[in-house]
Amino acid sequence: VDSDKGGVRARLMGIHDWYEEYPTSPSTFILNGFMYSLIGLYDLSVINPASTKARKLFDKGIKSLEVMLPLYDAGSGTFYDLRHITMHTSPKFARWDYHSTHINQLLLLASIHHNSSQFIE
């Protein structure tokens, strides 16, 4: 369900599904919260293979992450979110602990979704 209707899904440019940790208006697209949601969807699809919805949401999310990940590249670190795009404010650089979390989450996602070599580059 879209975040503007009480759910957690946002869409960048109306195309790329993003599951928000903190649904806001406008959407901020927090990176670590989204990757945690993907890990949870993957876990649900593994422990309940009959839940094809969880796997579909995971696959859609992975595609969005693959497209949107370069937007979080801050050169020597990562951006915490995309408020600089959606709210036209100064970018919020991720603290070192969040940057480390981003790296670990990407490594985990690369290990469970083998087609995503971009996550480890």
Side-chain angles (χ1 to χ4, degrees):
V1 175
D2 289 338
S3 55
D4 62 355
K5 293 183 175 107
V8 297
R9 182 180 60 195
R11 287 195 170 135
L12 186 67
M13 299 179 290
I15 301 170
H16 306 293
D17 285 355
W18 196 266
Y19 316 123
E20 294 197 283
E21 179 177 11
Y22 305 108
T24 58
S25 181
S27 300
T28 53
F29 299 94
I30 296 171
L31 182 58
N32 70 303
F34 177 67
M35 289 193 285
Y36 278 130
S37 75
L38 293 179
I39 294 164
L41 287 167
Y42 175 79
D43 288 346
L44 180 58
S45 72
V46 169
I47 62 168
N48 185 9
S51 175
T52 59
K53 181 84 170 171
R55 186 57 193 215
K56 286 178 186 174
L57 290 169
F58 172 80
D59 290 340
K60 280 182 124 177
I62 286 291
K63 287 178 185 169
S64 294
L65 184 60
E66 289 172 340
V67 170
M68 293 173 60
L69 189 59
L71 298 174
Y72 292 88
D73 187 349
S76 60
T78 50
F79 295 119
Y80 178 76
D81 57 26
L82 296 182
R83 71 182 61 209
H84 56 287
I85 294 172
T86 62
M87 300 171 70
H88 307 290
T89 64
S90 297
K92 183 174 182 178
F93 292 91
R95 296 185 324 236
W96 70 268
D97 53 332
Y98 277 107
H99 179 64
S100 297
T101 298
H102 293 160
I103 292 168
N104 286 318
Q105 289 174 313
L106 289 168
L107 290 170
L108 175 60
L109 288 168
S111 74
I112 61 179
H113 194 268
H114 304 292
N115 296 333
S116 297
S117 62
Q118 174 184 356
F119 298 164
I120 55 175
E121 291 177 355

